[in-house]
Amino acid sequence: MSSSPPPAAPATAPQAAVESPEVARQGTQKLLKYLVIAVPYLWLLAFFLAPFLIVLKISLVEVRVAMPPYSELITFVEDGWIAFHGSLENYLWLWDDPLYINSYLSSLKIAATSTVLTLLVGYPIAYGMARAPRRWRFALLMLVILPFWTSFLIRVYAWIGILKKEGLLNLALTHLGLISEPLTILNTDIAVYIGIVYSYLPFMVLPLYANLEKMDLSLLEAAADLGCRPIKAFWVVTVPLSMTGIVAGCFLVFIPAVGEFVIPDLLGGSETLMIGKTLWTEFFNNRDWPVSSAVAVILLLVLIIPIVLFQRQQQRSAEAEA
Amino acid sequence: MRQGLTWFNIASLLLGFLFLYLPIALLIIYSFNESRLVTVWAGFSTKWYAEMLQNQGLLNAGWVTLKVAFTSSCFATVLGTMAGLIMSRFGSFHGRTLFSGMIYAPLVMPEVITGLSLLLMFVAVALDRGFVTVTLAHITFSMCYVAVVVQSRLAGFDRSIEEAAMDLGCPPGRTFFQITLPIIAPAVVAGWLLSFTLSLDDLVIASFTTGPGATTLPMKIYSQVRLGVTPEINAVCTILVGLVATGVLTASLITRRQEMRREAEERQAIANS
Amino acid sequence: MSGAGTASNQARSGSSAARQRWAPWEDPNEKPHVRIVGVTKRFGDFVAVDNVSLDIYKREFFSLLGPSGCGKTTLLRMLAGFETPSEGQILLEGEDMSGVPPYERPVNMMFQSYALFPHMSVEKNIAFGLKQDRVPKAEIDRRVAEVIEMVQLGQFAKRKPHQLSGGQKQRVALARSLVKKPKMLLLDEPLGALDKNLRTQTQFELMNIQEETGITFVIVTHDQEEAMTVSSRIAVMDHGRIVQVSTPGELYEAPLTRYVADFIGEVNILEGRGAQREGDHLVLQCPDAGCAIQTGPYAEDGGDESLWIALRPEKVRISKEPPADSSRNCMTGEVWDIGYLGNLSTYHVKLDSGKMITATQANMARLIERPITWEDRVYLTWAPDAAVVLRD
């Protein structure tokens, strides 16, 4: 039986002497562990967190004609005193000048609209892939993933030749007799929508496909058996079950689209306002580093809500699977 | 209702893939156009490729890009593998939340912010901008992608395999090199490939962090594109797309082959028993 | 029982009587091989293992039995060194194991998932542990060949794990953990992934290998039949605690608690009051049964509190004729349901109090001639020894 009483505490003195090399070896293991943690940790602190804190700092100071082109936040004056020169002036400036607020709002609007469009384009593709015979699926998946690997810039560039006034789309439409005057698409918001849908389509299709592929098809048979027509079954069974895929796909498109620079710059017009482009202009053309830092800080604040929501949703679906 | 495709499914697949591939196909076709005008087909020619090879600026940029991509992807793979290992195997430690935050944040951070913040830091520490700074920047965001790829592979394999190695007398460090690394090797290779192409593609971060003498190919393409579409750029793009597509297709076909062989052998083993 | 030699000879003789006579745990002079002393393991607020003390002897085939989440696997992982006890000590041959990492313990484990290294052949998998100890190559080859022979995997030596069936993988895992000749082999649900037929066959192979090698086996299982078949002793666990440690026979015949009685085999449980001592046993009044119950031998006095009585279905006789004395150990009721299992029939009898009692009878006669049928009024009787008093 298990009723034996615990033995007296083992004599420790001689054992401790024997154990010391073992303890030393365990110390080495521990050191190794902390070393493995330290290398990437310090790297990210130095090249991710520190830079961001610098952005925060510079957003509080003034622009100056010098190198670097901004004033100091903290200066050391005599007697060990330090002087703090920060102000929220740059942020007030963003509030006063309608350009910035309009850029933020317009970015959100463009990102939201193109997310919906991407969903509308992506869902049928993902659905078709998930219902395709098993032996096709790998090839179809590769076809979706491949553009994701090829250069973003090149894929956006490819659309310029198509959407231009004398481009291939207008050429084709005129040939077919559908239009008499060439359409102006390039350098409008429509071109930006097309660019975003095109560039981010794999981000929408992949989570949707992963979700739809897992779906138990006998659920649809059960629905049919209970008298539900296929189209209705799609809306009341398939769509609700693929909700996690839809939400994940939408976040994956919306979040990067808000801060997009290349697409509005190459495909959009001068009146297309997007915050990424505004930041770029502020930095490279106006050389106002403090204001562009303030723009960056606000952009991040705007994005934090969807990012946090997205992470929550990911966590929840991971938990639901476990 | 089983697995048959309806006409609607087939149509949406066809249109979807047409949408995805037509623009790139046109770009490739027109790189072989005799005429400088993009919309007029004047016969097949490879003269733009020849012209591209004469363009010293373009070739220099290409060389810089390859060097940056190779260096940064190697470093990013090592750091990212370590980070993936930490997140899935090291349990909790002080500052773990911050660590995983710093791994995931760059994935969703707009490139303009990443680029701007890195530049401001390089200026603050008075590091001369050029090859080194671009490479550092690329290592930083690529390693996060590698970490996520490696982590998901680690999460997918049975942890007791590593425990078994330790149980049989293998200390943790050696277990990593003898057991863990060979098993996650496909993910590590995929992570390297991903880092390489991310670096090859990057325009925004490179524009912020580079300096004179280290113009990358995407920057070169971008500055020419702003001046208009040229067949020469089409030729460069065709080569880039061709390289990446070949690499990715080869890699995934090899993995696919191995998987299929493995599955067949597994079925065989069960059938024989 | 003087030495291990005699013990293994007796064990090898194969009769269960010989097995049962080998009982080092009853010998006060025998030193335990492993002592688990007051071990507790907490994960945050959750107590996975709660103050467990246990002695396991050399050459034992010891089972930790319980439902999933009862703490048996955690206890096994503490023996292997993958978890550190929050409190208490584990002593292997008198040596404290705390602070000794898994890769330095003279103990090996066979994992539930087998945990074979997917990138190594069967041979390499088995040789891995010996290589870690820098055993000379020639000796590695010899010992690997030896265990491969023992588990009959000769023709599969060059295969990779994914080219093996479940049963073959199980053998590789066993060979890999045996080849180092550990002081103790820990097996986590070793047969859980095998199908029913293979499992029974493998149980006996495991027993033979254990006898051949003389290694102490500690096995974790949730399958009570498996534990009953292979073990020298079984520890039944519930919510991190050990409820009873006994030989399989004792566990079945003399369960200490309702939990154990219920977990091992099928049982009818009756509540009795007003215990009266009569020689070495008690007599209880049992309103559910509608009669007085004379129990088997029981040392303690019941007092005024309720006591629980376990009655195994196969020990209940079912008859349409009333017994001579129907005031004691005799319940009456109506046949509610009959389950025909071929060799056995199970009768569910509804007593007058409304309580259901299960009785099983061997089917000596043909089905058609079965004398008892639905809605028959029947008498259930049993020998006094069959009624076992439970502690709670």
Side-chain angles (χ1 to χ4, degrees), chain C residues 257-305:
Chain C
T257 66
R258 273 188 289 166
Y259 178 80
V260 175
D262 210 27
F263 196 73
I264 313 281
E266 261 193 88
V267 73
N268 295 300
I269 294 197
L270 296 162
E271 189 181 4
R273 288 170 197 283
Q276 296 288 318
R277 177 152 291 282
E278 250 182 38
D280 68 345
H281 57 260
L282 303 177
V283 176
L284 298 162
Q285 294 308 312
C286 181
D288 278 348
C291 69
I293 293 180
Q294 179 185 337
T295 70
Y298 192 67
E300 291 167 45
D301 277 327
D304 292 334
E305 298 189 6

Side-chain angles (χ1 to χ4, degrees), chain C residues 293-355:
Chain C
I293 293 180
Q294 179 185 337
T295 70
Y298 192 67
E300 291 167 45
D301 277 327
D304 292 334
E305 298 189 6
S306 294
L307 286 176
W308 302 94
I309 294 158
L311 197 54
R312 297 285 181 194
E314 75 278 7
K315 300 204 165 130
V316 179
R317 277 191 302 272
I318 182 165
S319 163
K320 287 203 273 193
E321 303 300 321
D325 175 15
S326 63
S327 68
R328 249 184 207 191
N329 291 7
C330 171
M331 306 187 280
T332 49
E334 191 179 298
V335 176
W336 196 253
D337 231 332
I338 305 176
Y340 176 67
L341 302 169
N343 56 342
L344 296 174
S345 284
T346 304
Y347 298 88
H348 293 275
V349 177
K350 191 176 192 182
L351 302 185
D352 300 335
S353 64
K355 187 166 175 66

